Amino acid sequence: MKKLINDPNLVITEMLDGFVAAHSSSVKRVKNTTVVARKNAPVSGKVGIVSGGGSGHEPAHAGYVGEGMLDAAVSGEVFTSPTPDQVFEAIKAVDSGKGVLLVIKNYTGDVMNFEMAAELAEAEGIQVDQVVVNDDVAVEDSSFTTGRRGVAGTVFVHKLAGAMAETGASLEEVKQTAEKVVQHVRTMGVALSPCIMPSSGEESFELGDKEIEMGIGIHGEPGIEKKPLVFADEITSEMVERILPELELNENDEVAVMVNGMGATPEMELYIVNRKVHELLVEKSVTVSHTFVGEYMTSLEMAGCSITVLKVDDQLKELLDAPSQAPAFRI
Amino acid sequence: MKKLINDPNLVITEMLDGFVAAHSSSVKRVKNTTVVARKNAPVSGKVGIVSGGGSGHEPAHAGYVGEGMLDAAVSGEVFTSPTPDQVFEAIKAVDSGKGVLLVIKNYTGDVMNFEMAAELAEAEGIQVDQVVVNDDVAVEDSSFTTGRRGVAGTVFVHKLAGAMAETGASLEEVKQTAEKVVQHVRTMGVALSPCIMPSSGEESFELGDKEIEMGIGIHGEPGIEKKPLVFADEITSEMVERILPELELNENDEVAVMVNGMGATPEMELYIVNRKVHELLVEKSVTVSHTFVGEYMTSLEMAGCSITVLKVDDQLKELLDAPSQAPAFRI
């Protein structure tokens, strides 16, 4: 294992220290927790939005804390859900009296722990609602999930629910926006290499020298199949062809695209993938309104990428264009 | 070699196609070139700023094209300077009559080719000046350089010269700002793994299983020494201790910090490094005004990072805070 770390047991707290040091003008650490919140939280008159999950997906989730996106993010250990008490701390830190929306990626541990936190908060009189993101079209169930997994599409939920909350919308309205995004966003991923767990130094899974894993999850859990590495255009086509039927797109529909690096993939390759994604969409007379290429939802140093397509309408486009001051998603 | 590419000979042109497709509202490709320019170039009444270099450093350099930063970026083949005629095309594309500043990283090939392009442009009556960035404190000469290499500090030159140019400043004033940044910016890098050239599929250099290369360049060219991997704090301290004496910092001086990932390093690790950088600066009573953590000047999928420190005054801080619409550096 080669990592720029100190004690493997301290990677989360040291990462959060470094994160808050870098962005101290806009975020704070909630004392004695792994919660990063907006410096001015709770924001008066605004629904609070809390997300989070296991660490190792940076810039998710703390990178999305800021005006226009999340109010707080909770970090668990690497690839491990945060505990209910940590999520509860985040809820308390951001509730201005207008209620709090939890954005949960669909993993069994996350859903259970966030729901327990919601119960704790409701017992203290805080209004809490939730949305579960399940954008991954690769598999129906997985080692860590009942139903589809929540992956990079979650970033669009953060952005659009976040923008809606800034308008002063009610908890119900913010939730409706988040649900609308969940209904219209689909993702598929591919891995070219595993990642390495800081705690054990072990590779998360095995791949042959010329092998890729289609439909990989963001914790290295299995996808659809291992197969030989082929040209980028062929891989991209297979991924897009699995995503598009799910969205029931018609000619002249509009979409936003995210080509997300899993951690170790050069940006050069992500743009080569994006070129083909655009070509395929143009062929189908689908218009791309927004494109995001970069690292948004990673798996430590896994090589590979995911492609996310969000079907947009005028409301969603407007919310995408709204300002965001989150360190990892500035608009 | 595992890469998401098609024909290795087409990686640059396909990457640029994908880049322009993603950012078509703000950039354009200058026809039949590897030049990416602002869509509205040349910008009337403004000095043009052109940078570029070998590919493989993404998001450098095209990611820095946009309002508030560069007017155009020229891409060479991987780790290879762009040819004079390509640089010349960039100069012509951005000259509004107010002159063009070339920002060159100090590599022998780049300096030679950009200077030849300047001569071609001057012969056509375009006023051109240049600044050579040499921020790398690791080695005095290298396989590709006479004098110190230009590395991640170049991004600060883009940002600050770019912001100055937006004020309507003259070519001389924009050059003075760029020179001021060059004088006050220093960088050092470390590699944990090599990168892989798309053309050959070969690793750029060799490192043992528990070995790192201190003072690495951004093309895998040798640094100061190979040594055993130790804790992140120790590596960070060694890098910072080599940088700081160069800046002759006094108590209460202010600096901007960039912790730059080389390509495959998880953001988690970059923030762990940033934590220690801040700790070391606080110990010396130096104030950090701005911090940037992420991938700014990469070497394909090399693992490792560089640390850049820029000594700032009120003018440079104001220029850092100025808006930027460049895809890879939004403020």
Side-chain angles (χ1 to χ4, degrees):
Chain A
M1 174 176 67
K2 271 189 182 174
K3 284 186 183 288
L4 282 169
I5 61 174
N6 299 297
D7 182 344
N9 296 311
L10 297 179
V11 290
I12 309 306
T13 189
E14 291 190 353
M15 166 183 75
L16 292 174
D17 286 348
F19 184 84
V20 173
H23 309 293
S24 58
S25 61
S26 63
V27 304
K28 63 185 175 190
R29 176 97 166 261
V30 178
K31 215 175 169 181
N32 299 324
T33 72
T34 60
V35 176
V36 170
R38 291 194 206 182
K39 199 162 184 176
N40 62 342
V43 181
S44 166
K46 196 187 85 67
V47 168
I49 305 186
V50 169
S51 190
S55 294
H57 305 302
E58 292 69 32
H61 299 81
Y64 302 123
V65 173
E67 201 179 322
M69 287 185 84
L70 302 180
D71 293 86
V74 200
S75 297
E77 294 297 314
V78 173
F79 297 169
T80 305
S81 172
T83 55
D85 59 306
Q86 296 284 314
V87 180
F88 180 35
E89 292 294 332
I91 295 170
K92 285 191 290 187
V94 308
D95 178 49
S96 69
K98 213 167 173 182
V100 175
L101 182 70
L102 306 181
V103 180
I104 313 171
K105 296 195 305 306
N106 189 33
Y107 292 95
T108 307
D110 286 52
V111 172
M112 190 173 69
N113 289 354
F114 275 76
E115 283 182 350
M116 284 175 64
E119 284 171 25
L120 293 170
E122 281 160 355
E124 290 209 3
I126 302 175
Q127 200 189 350
V128 182
D129 211 335
Q130 67 179 58
V131 59
V132 176
V133 189
N134 58 353
D135 54 315
D136 187 347
V137 303
V139 294
E140 286 303 322
D141 298 298
S142 81
S143 5
F144 306 128
T145 335
T146 305
R148 289 177 164 187
R149 302 172 296 205
V151 290
T154 310
V155 180
F156 282 133
V157 182
H158 295 164
K159 175 68 185 79
L160 299 170
M164 191 66 184
E166 297 292 344
T167 68
S170 69
L171 179 55
E172 194 184 334
E173 290 165 328
V174 176
K175 182 183 173 169
Q176 275 171 1
T177 300
E179 291 284 12
K180 183 170 167 182
V181 179
V182 172
Q183 280 165 29
H184 293 100
V185 69
R186 296 292 185 275
T187 298
M188 181 151 160
V190 63
L192 275 67
S193 80
C195 53
I196 296 166
M197 301 294 287
S199 53
S200 65
E202 302 285 320
E203 294 192 342
S204 55
F205 59 97
E206 279 184 31
L207 270 181
D209 272 355
K210 296 191 172 176
E211 206 175 38
I212 63 176
E213 172 105 22
M214 288 298 289
I216 195 80
I218 55 172
H219 311 95
E221 68 272 32
I224 299 168
E225 57 168 344
K226 289 187 165 67
K227 54 183 278 185
L229 174 62
V230 290
F231 287 136
D233 281 1
E234 197 176 320
I235 295 169
T236 304
S237 297
E238 181 175 340
M239 292 163 79
V240 170
E241 291 307 330
R242 282 184 184 264
I243 291 168
L244 293 190
E246 299 270 342
L247 291 170
E248 297 176 4
L249 294 171
N250 296 310
E251 277 191 22
N252 303 318
D253 276 350
E254 288 189 272
V255 298
V257 167
M258 177 177 283
V259 179
N260 167 58
M262 290 294 199
T265 298
E267 200 173 284
M268 172 187 284
E269 298 175 31
L270 301 180
Y271 277 113
I272 289 173
V273 169
N274 181 58
R275 169 187 163 277
K276 186 66 183 176
V277 173
H278 276 251
E279 191 180 292
L280 293 165
L281 290 167
V282 166
E283 273 172 18
K284 293 183 194 303
S285 303
V286 171
T287 303
V288 182
S289 68
H290 298 71
T291 306
F292 303 90
V293 178
E295 295 186 342
Y296 292 95
M297 182 69 75
T298 64
S299 299
L300 295 169
E301 65 279 85
M302 189 189 291
C305 73
S306 64
I307 298 169
T308 299
V309 181
L310 168 68
K311 184 175 172 180
V312 292
D313 58 12
D314 287 346
Q315 187 210 13
L316 295 187
K317 284 196 289 180
E318 196 177 311
L319 293 170
L320 262 179
D321 286 331
S324 163
Q325 286 299 312
F329 207 100
R330 283 191 199 276
I331 283 184
Chain B
M1 175 175 68
K2 272 189 181 174
K3 285 187 184 287
L4 282 169
I5 60 175
N6 299 298
D7 181 343
N9 297 311
L10 297 179
V11 290
I12 310 304
T13 191
E14 290 189 355
M15 166 182 75
L16 293 174
D17 286 348
F19 184 84
V20 173
H23 309 294
S24 58
S25 61
S26 64
V27 304
K28 64 185 174 190
R29 178 99 165 259
V30 178
K31 214 175 170 183
N32 298 323
T33 72
T34 60
V35 176
V36 171
R38 291 194 205 180
K39 199 162 184 175
N40 61 342
V43 181
S44 165
K46 196 186 85 67
V47 168
I49 305 187
V50 169
S51 191
S55 294
H57 305 303
E58 291 69 32
H61 299 82
Y64 302 123
V65 173
E67 199 180 323
M69 286 186 87
L70 303 179
D71 293 86
V74 200
S75 297
E77 293 297 314
V78 174
F79 295 170
T80 304
S81 172
T83 55
D85 60 304
Q86 295 283 314
V87 180
F88 180 35
E89 292 295 332
I91 295 170
K92 286 191 289 187
V94 308
D95 178 47
S96 70
K98 213 170 173 180
V100 175
L101 182 71
L102 306 181
V103 180
I104 313 170
K105 298 198 300 311
N106 190 32
Y107 292 95
T108 308
D110 287 51
V111 173
M112 191 173 69
N113 290 353
F114 277 74
E115 283 183 350
M116 284 175 66
E119 284 171 25
L120 293 169
E122 282 160 354
E124 291 209 1
I126 302 176
Q127 200 190 350
V128 181
D129 211 335
Q130 65 177 60
V131 59
V132 177
V133 189
N134 57 354
D135 54 314
D136 186 347
V137 303
V139 293
E140 287 304 321
D141 298 299
S142 81
S143 6
F144 306 129
T145 337
T146 305
R148 289 177 163 184
R149 302 172 295 207
V151 289
T154 310
V155 180
F156 282 133
V157 181
H158 295 165
K159 175 67 184 79
L160 299 170
M164 190 67 184
E166 296 293 344
T167 68
S170 68
L171 179 56
E172 194 185 333
E173 290 166 327
V174 175
K175 182 185 173 167
Q176 276 171 3
T177 299
E179 290 285 13
K180 182 172 168 181
V181 178
V182 172
Q183 280 164 29
H184 293 101
V185 69
R186 297 291 184 278
T187 299
M188 180 150 162
V190 63
L192 274 67
S193 80
C195 54
I196 296 165
M197 301 294 289
S199 52
S200 65
E202 303 285 321
E203 294 191 344
S204 54
F205 59 97
E206 278 186 28
L207 271 180
D209 272 356
K210 297 192 170 171
E211 206 174 37
I212 62 175
E213 173 108 19
M214 289 297 289
I216 194 81
I218 54 173
H219 310 94
E221 67 273 33
I224 299 167
E225 58 168 343
K226 288 188 165 70
K227 53 183 280 183
L229 175 63
V230 290
F231 287 136
D233 281 1
E234 196 176 322
I235 295 169
T236 304
S237 298
E238 182 176 339
M239 293 164 79
V240 170
E241 292 306 329
R242 282 185 184 263
I243 292 168
L244 293 190
E246 299 269 342
L247 292 170
E248 298 176 1
L249 294 172
N250 297 310
E251 277 190 24
N252 302 318
D253 276 350
E254 288 190 89
V255 299
V257 166
M258 176 177 284
V259 179
N260 166 59
M262 291 294 199
T265 298
E267 200 172 285
M268 173 185 284
E269 299 177 30
L270 301 180
Y271 277 113
I272 289 173
V273 169
N274 181 58
R275 170 187 163 276
K276 187 64 182 177
V277 173
H278 275 249
E279 192 180 290
L280 293 166
L281 290 168
V282 166
E283 274 173 19
K284 294 185 196 300
S285 303
V286 170
T287 303
V288 182
S289 68
H290 298 71
T291 306
F292 302 90
V293 178
E295 295 186 343
Y296 293 94
M297 180 71 73
T298 64
S299 299
L300 296 167
E301 66 280 83
M302 189 190 290
C305 73
S306 64
I307 299 169
T308 299
V309 182
L310 168 68
K311 185 175 170 180
V312 292
D313 59 12
D314 288 346
Q315 187 210 10
L316 296 186
K317 284 195 291 181
E318 197 178 310
L319 292 171
L320 262 178
D321 286 332
S324 163
Q325 287 299 313
F329 208 101
R330 283 192 199 274
I331 284 186

